[in-house]
Amino acid sequence: MKRSSPFAKTRLSDLSKSLTMAYGNDKGGTIFAAAERILTVELAGVNDRGNKMIGKHIRSNILPGYACYRAMLDGGISSSETVEFVKTELCRSTERMARLCKLLNSKKYAYGLVRFLVNVFLNYGYPNQGWTMVMLENNKERIRFDMTSCLYCEELQKRDAFELCSAYCYTDVASYTPLAPAVRFLREGTLAQTGVKCDFCFEKGTATK
C-alpha cells in the first residue's frame, strides 16, 4: 500500500509536484522528503490550545508551510527565495476563493454577502485562543477591524520562522482583491510588517448588476 504523505490533506497538498518542477527530481525530491519528516515531527507535538479550529489552522496551514520553509533552507535555498516559493504555493491554494470573489465583483449584493460571511468567519474561524480582534466599524458601508495578535505569527515565531508570516498575510490580498469594484479590500499593514496590527477593511464599492 502506498504511504500517504503528511501533506496530502493540507493546504500544500501539491508541494511535491511544485518542488520537482522548481528544482528537478533529485533536489526537489530530497527537499520534499525532508519537509515530510519535519511535518511529521511537528504534527506529533501540536498544541491546539483546547480549540479544534486552532488545531485545524496549525495542522493544515501553519505547519505545512513551515515544514517546506525549513526543508528548503536546510537544502541550501536562500531565505528570500524560500519565502517567495511558499507564498506562491499558499496563493495557489487560495485560487478557488479568488475565483469565487471574482464572480461577485459586479454584483450589487456583494457587499452585503461579504459582510455576512466576514462576521461568520470571525466568530467561528478565528477564535480568541489564537487571535485578538478589535472591531472598528461594521455597517452598511464598510466592515473594518484590527488583529492585534495572531496565531500564525506566534507559532512561526516560536519556530524561528517569523519572516514566513508575510507569505500568509499576502494570501488575504490574493483572495479578496478580486472582489473589486463591488467590494474593495483595503490594508495599510500587517503584524509581520509593523509588529503592531493587521488591519482589515472591506468597503462597499460600485456594482453594475
Side-chain angles (χ1 to χ4, degrees):
M1 181 182 294
K2 186 177 180 181
R3 179 181 65 88
S4 177
S5 169
F7 284 93
K9 295 182 179 180
T10 75
R11 196 167 177 176
L12 300 186
S13 58
D14 292 329
L15 182 61
S16 177
K17 179 180 178 181
S18 296
L19 284 169
T20 299
M21 289 180 64
Y23 299 106
N25 289 331
D26 290 342
K27 187 171 185 178
T30 297
I31 292 173
F32 182 68
E36 285 189 306
R37 291 192 294 272
I38 293 168
L39 181 55
T40 298
V41 171
E42 289 286 345
L43 288 172
V46 168
N47 174 11
D48 66 6
R49 308 185 186 189
N51 185 284
K52 290 183 179 180
M53 185 57 68
I54 294 289
K56 183 176 180 180
H57 279 280
I58 294 174
R59 293 182 178 91
S60 298
N61 296 346
I62 298 173
L63 291 182
Y66 166 73
C68 177
Y69 166 86
R70 182 59 58 197
M72 289 180 70
L73 291 183
D74 291 348
I77 310 298
S78 71
S79 62
S80 59
E81 183 175 338
T82 295
V83 171
E84 189 63 27
F85 180 91
V86 176
K87 182 174 82 172
T88 298
E89 290 305 296
L90 291 172
C91 286
R92 184 173 290 118
S93 74
T94 68
E95 288 176 354
R96 183 170 179 270
M97 174 63 78
R99 288 195 299 271
L100 291 172
C101 288
K102 190 174 180 63
L103 292 174
L104 294 172
N105 68 10
S106 63
K107 308 300 184 185
K108 292 182 179 180
Y109 60 80
Y111 175 73
L113 178 60
V114 168
R115 183 186 177 196
F116 170 77
L117 291 174
V118 167
N119 282 311
V120 171
F121 290 157
L122 290 178
N123 286 333
Y124 297 102
Y126 296 85
N128 56 21
Q129 291 94 331
W131 290 267
T132 303
M133 186 196 72
V134 180
M135 182 61 71
L136 302 172
E137 287 185 81
N138 190 350
N139 54 51
K140 293 181 179 180
E141 295 301 320
R142 68 184 59 82
I143 179 168
R144 185 166 65 92
F145 57 93
D146 291 341
M147 292 289 194
T148 58
S149 71
C150 173
L151 175 73
Y152 285 70
C153 290
E154 292 171 1
E155 291 294 323
L156 290 171
Q157 191 165 39
K158 285 195 307 187
R159 294 168 172 81
D160 194 27
F162 189 77
E163 67 173 350
L164 188 58
C165 291
S166 62
Y168 288 93
C169 295
Y170 188 78
T171 62
D172 294 330
V173 178
S175 296
Y176 305 129
T177 297
L179 285 166
V183 180
R184 292 188 292 269
F185 174 67
L186 307 173
R187 169 174 282 171
E188 294 182 358
T190 67
L191 277 163
Q193 295 169 324
T194 68
V196 177
K197 65 181 182 181
C198 292
D199 65 294
F200 292 77
C201 180
F202 295 88
E203 186 174 78
K204 186 176 182 179
T206 58
T208 58
K209 299 179 183 178

